[in-house]
Amino acid sequence: SCFHAGIYRTEKDKGTLYELTFKGDTKHQFKKIVLFRPFGPVMKVKNENVNMADTLINVIVPLAKRAGKFRQFMQNFREMGIQQDGRIHLTVVYFGKEQMNEVKSILENTSKSANFKNFTFIQLNEEFSRGKGLDVGARFWKGNNVVLFFCDVDIYFTAEFLNSCRLNTQPGKKVFYPVLFSQYNPSIIYGHHDSIPSLEQQLIIKKETGFWRDFGFGMTCQYRSDFINIGGFDLDIKGWGGEDVHLYRKYLHSNLIVIRTPVRGLFHLWHEKQCLDELTPEQYKMCMQSKAMNEASHGQLGMLVFKQEIETHLHRQKLSSKKT
């Protein structure tokens, strides 16, 4: 019952390293056990208590318009980040001025009602660029070294994920690239129901409801010092996609350990994806592939594609049964 999480990594020329995390004696304390199994018996490498009570996470969200989505995001942030976790800061990097006052109002209302002062609002008068927004947000921080969680407005996270974020990052040693669970289009998934369930009821990990986004590298936890030392994002990449993969590859070629594993407390909420004409051919292709993957499973999409054939078959079956 005290087990929190476990990850392992196998190196083909050495063996397997296990990191097991257990809940400690107090709310913010954890016990981490590291085991190494060479191609032989298991060896204990480390047994230590890990206290995360003072480990702050700076959640950085780049945004343009989408005030309705931001309101939904702040409901999740308030419940999981403020009320359940409490060791969190929010940095919103906003592009342009359209819907800006509405977004600021949502942020200020949350601040007042939840007595939450740990937020930063940065406004940029330029075209939206996710990499630029995250880079500006990360560099704006003036406090001590902090864990950065690069996040999007259509992400839902749990308090358990925030602890995984802390436990799988270490300055100068480890960065965390979780594999999140991505929702399919609820209108397709629950189209045969009388109504679409509430958001909380949709957060179920099943092959019918979504998929593990193992090709996505946008949501990541890393210490600010590592982000600065690696050189941050490539700001020459404009528009949708590419900047996150470039940063991920830089870490792969560094001396830091990149932890890549599925997590149960991180969801990408479905939204209709728009692929803009001004994207490069490669970016547009990536965007369209992502759009197709987000709608439904192969089986569910197949049912839509062959809907007419299925209905024709059912009609013939009815006629056949009436004749007999």
Side-chain angles (χ1 to χ4, degrees), residues 26-291:
T26 61
K27 181 179 179 181
H28 301 306
Q29 191 174 55
F30 296 85
K31 180 182 288 290
K32 180 179 287 187
I33 298 176
V34 181
L35 303 172
F36 178 67
R37 183 175 188 176
F39 297 114
V42 174
M43 298 169 56
K44 180 188 287 187
V45 177
K46 189 187 297 183
N47 187 344
E48 62 177 342
N49 290 318
V50 182
N51 191 338
M52 294 291 172
D54 298 324
T55 305
L56 185 72
I57 295 178
N58 185 4
V59 182
I60 303 180
V61 180
L63 188 63
K65 305 175 187 178
R66 307 187 72 187
K69 281 289 183 182
F70 184 69
R71 180 176 283 105
Q72 183 183 61
F73 173 84
M74 287 305 297
Q75 290 174 352
N76 171 225
F77 184 88
R78 175 173 178 161
E79 179 184 355
M80 298 298 174
I82 301 174
Q83 295 174 350
Q84 293 194 30
D85 187 86
R87 298 153 292 156
I88 199 162
H89 187 98
L90 176 63
T91 299
V92 177
V93 182
Y94 197 86
F95 290 81
K97 294 184 178 179
E98 188 176 349
Q99 300 185 24
M100 183 185 73
N101 290 335
E102 188 176 351
V103 167
K104 288 183 73 174
S105 177
I106 295 167
L107 189 57
E108 289 167 0
N109 288 340
T110 302
S111 172
K112 292 176 184 177
S113 61
N115 193 25
F116 178 71
K117 307 297 183 185
N118 294 339
F119 70 90
T120 303
F121 187 88
I122 304 168
Q123 196 261 335
L124 301 177
N125 288 317
E126 52 188 272
E127 184 181 352
F128 178 82
S129 166
R130 185 178 186 273
K132 175 68 176 291
L134 295 173
D135 203 271
V136 168
R139 295 178 187 278
F140 191 85
W141 179 261
K142 304 304 180 189
N144 296 331
N145 199 12
V146 67
V147 179
L148 304 175
F149 171 31
F150 293 149
C151 189
D152 286 340
V153 73
D154 47 26
I155 293 298
Y156 181 97
F157 59 84
T158 65
E160 181 182 6
F161 165 74
L162 294 176
N163 275 326
S164 297
C165 188
R166 294 180 177 96
L167 290 164
N168 289 307
T169 53
Q170 191 174 352
K173 293 188 177 181
K174 295 190 294 187
V175 294
F176 185 37
Y177 274 84
V179 179
L180 53 79
F181 191 78
S182 192
Q183 279 187 323
Y184 287 139
N185 186 343
S187 297
I188 296 178
I189 304 305
Y190 304 102
H192 59 288
H193 291 219
D194 293 334
S195 61
I196 297 175
S198 66
L199 175 60
E200 287 71 21
Q201 292 175 312
Q202 293 178 35
L203 300 177
I204 301 172
I205 298 177
K206 292 175 17 180
K207 64 180 182 180
E208 295 85 7
T209 60
F211 63 98
W212 291 106
R213 190 181 279 261
D214 52 9
F215 56 83
F217 303 91
M219 305 318 120
T220 171
C221 300
Q222 52 198 256
Y223 270 87
R224 182 180 181 275
S225 57
D226 294 326
F227 177 77
I228 299 298
N229 290 337
I230 206 78
F233 285 104
D234 182 353
L235 300 183
D236 292 330
I237 300 174
K238 305 296 182 184
W240 188 93
E243 80 287 334
D244 49 1
V245 177
H246 185 265
L247 179 65
Y248 177 72
R249 287 174 176 166
K250 286 202 291 186
Y251 279 122
L252 288 180
H253 290 95
S254 73
N255 293 324
L256 276 71
I257 295 173
V258 178
I259 296 179
R260 178 78 169 155
T261 180
V263 292
R264 299 186 63 85
L266 191 62
F267 294 85
H268 177 266
L269 305 179
W270 183 87
H271 61 89
E272 187 172 0
K273 186 177 289 293
Q274 301 291 336
C275 297
L276 304 177
D277 288 339
E278 53 262 33
L279 294 174
T280 66
E282 183 62 28
Q283 286 178 322
Y284 192 83
K285 181 180 177 181
M286 288 170 59
C287 186
M288 291 300 292
Q289 288 174 339
S290 179
K291 182 174 182 176

